[in-house]
């Protein structure tokens, strides 16, 4: 594990967090929306950092497959629970779960930098 890269990535995430907070306060986004932070942006940023850390598209395929399975399971659960599938209800839950999964993959990728290239 390269501690310098991990430290720089964590600083980058903190800076992005504060910039997003600042933009939300300047443009008064907190009054209009319940969440100031965008889960779509955070998911993309965390996945990109994870791909950079793992440095092999072979190994990143496993977390992406888990992400797809979670998406399909969410569709099944919402269809069974509500008796119908509505995108407006699906997307917020999907992106919140995606951020949680992206955080887990990012933390794991910090320790998986020396996986063999296949």
């Amino acid at each position: 594990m390269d501690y310098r890269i991990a430290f720089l990535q964590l600083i980058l995430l903190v800076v992005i967090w504060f910039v997003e907070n600042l933009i939300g306060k300047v443009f008064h986004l907190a009054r209009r929306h319940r969440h100031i932070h965008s889960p779509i942006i955070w998911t993309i940023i965390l996945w990109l950092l994870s791909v950079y850390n793992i440095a092999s598209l072979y190994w990143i395929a496993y977390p992406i497959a888990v992400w797809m399975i979670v998406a399909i399971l969410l569709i099944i659960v919402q269809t069974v629970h509500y008796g119908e599938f509505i995108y407006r209800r699906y997307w917020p839950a999907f992106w919140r779960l995606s951020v949680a999964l992206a955080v887990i993959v990012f933390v794991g990728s910090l320790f998986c930098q020396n996986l063999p290239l296949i």
Side-chain angles (χ1 to χ4, degrees):
M1 177 173 167
D2 190 3
Y3 293 105
R4 292 177 294 159
I5 292 174
F7 184 68
L8 287 174
Q9 288 178 352
L10 291 175
I11 288 175
L12 174 71
L13 292 175
V14 169
V15 167
I16 292 171
W17 179 275
F18 283 122
V19 167
E20 197 173 19
N21 263 343
L22 183 64
I23 290 171
K25 289 180 182 182
V26 168
F27 293 108
H28 305 291
L29 296 177
R31 294 181 193 164
R32 285 187 243 159
H33 302 292
R34 205 171 71 179
H35 302 288
I36 294 174
H37 299 286
S38 173
I40 298 170
I41 293 171
W42 281 100
T43 301
I44 292 169
I45 291 170
L46 290 171
W47 276 104
L48 288 174
L49 290 176
S50 298
V51 168
Y52 176 78
N53 288 340
I54 293 177
S56 170
L57 295 179
Y58 175 80
W59 292 108
I60 201 69
Y62 292 108
I64 290 174
V66 170
W67 190 30
M68 290 182 212
I69 291 170
V70 167
I72 292 171
L73 289 176
L74 181 62
I75 290 171
I76 293 170
V77 166
Q78 285 191 350
T79 304
V80 168
H81 185 266
Y82 294 111
E84 62 185 355
F85 177 70
I86 298 174
Y87 278 110
R88 188 173 18 161
R89 196 179 302 143
Y90 170 75
W91 287 118
F94 170 75
W95 285 114
R96 283 192 297 264
L97 285 173
S98 295
V99 168
L101 183 64
V103 167
I104 293 168
V105 170
F106 173 70
V107 170
S109 74
L110 291 175
F111 299 102
C112 298
Q113 292 175 350
N114 295 323
L115 289 173
L117 297 175
I118 293 179

